[in-house]
């Protein structure tokens, strides 16, 4: 297990214009916390299934972990964890530094 060096991103729902406002502020050098916003609650619910929320909670509390450690912590089968981690990576919430680990992007 690796200690998490950065806090987990704030995950929420916000209109697209808010994203553009934050982007403009970033270009002006104004720091903001790491965040990931969905443009609708429907999209958030589609991506953040209960099993994926469990994975995010485990990584928030424990930092970067192997897929086997995530499976043990969540009680999911490794195949399910692998599929959920891949979906969260595609959504931009997680990254996989290698095939057997997951961490926040």
């Amino acid at each position: 297990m690796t200690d998490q060096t950065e806090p987990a991103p704030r995950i929420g729902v916000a209109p697209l214009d808010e994203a553009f406002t934050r982007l403009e502020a970033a270009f002006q050098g104004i720091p903001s916390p790491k965040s990931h916003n969905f443009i609708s609650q429907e999209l958030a619910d589609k991506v953040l299934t209960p099993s994926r929320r469990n994975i995010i909670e485990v990584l928030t509390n424990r930092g970067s972990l192997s897929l086997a450690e995530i499976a043990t912590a969540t009680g999911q089968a490794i195949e399910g964890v692998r599929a959920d981690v891949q979906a969260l990576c595609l959504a931009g919430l997680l990254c996989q530094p290698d095939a057997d680990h997951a961490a926040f992007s």
Side-chain angles (χ1 to χ4, degrees), residues 29-90:
I30 301 169
S32 65
K34 191 182 255 189
S35 66
H36 185 96
N37 287 318
F38 293 93
I39 59 171
S40 71
Q41 187 64 50
E42 181 181 18
L43 181 57
D45 291 341
K46 191 177 213 177
V47 173
L48 299 172
T49 63
S51 61
R52 293 174 189 164
R53 288 175 192 249
N54 287 341
I55 290 170
I56 289 170
E57 183 178 346
V58 167
L59 292 175
T60 298
N61 292 328
R62 297 178 55 190
S64 176
L65 295 172
S66 71
L67 299 185
E69 289 171 316
I70 294 169
T72 299
T74 62
Q76 286 182 257
I78 190 79
E79 297 83 13
V81 168
R82 187 175 311 281
D84 282 340
V85 165
Q86 288 174 346
L88 291 168
C89 288
L90 287 173

Side-chain angles (χ1 to χ4, degrees), residues 10 14-27 32 35-39:
R10 182 182 65 86
L16 198 52
D17 60 336
E18 184 179 311
F20 286 124
T21 300
R22 282 197 325 275
L23 182 62
E24 184 178 300
F27 279 125
S32 65
S35 66
H36 185 96
N37 287 318
F38 293 93
I39 59 171

Side-chain angles (χ1 to χ4, degrees), residues 84-102:
D84 282 340
V85 165
Q86 288 174 346
L88 291 168
C89 288
L90 287 173
L93 288 163
L94 298 182
C95 65
Q96 284 191 269
D98 62 53
D100 293 322
H101 289 82

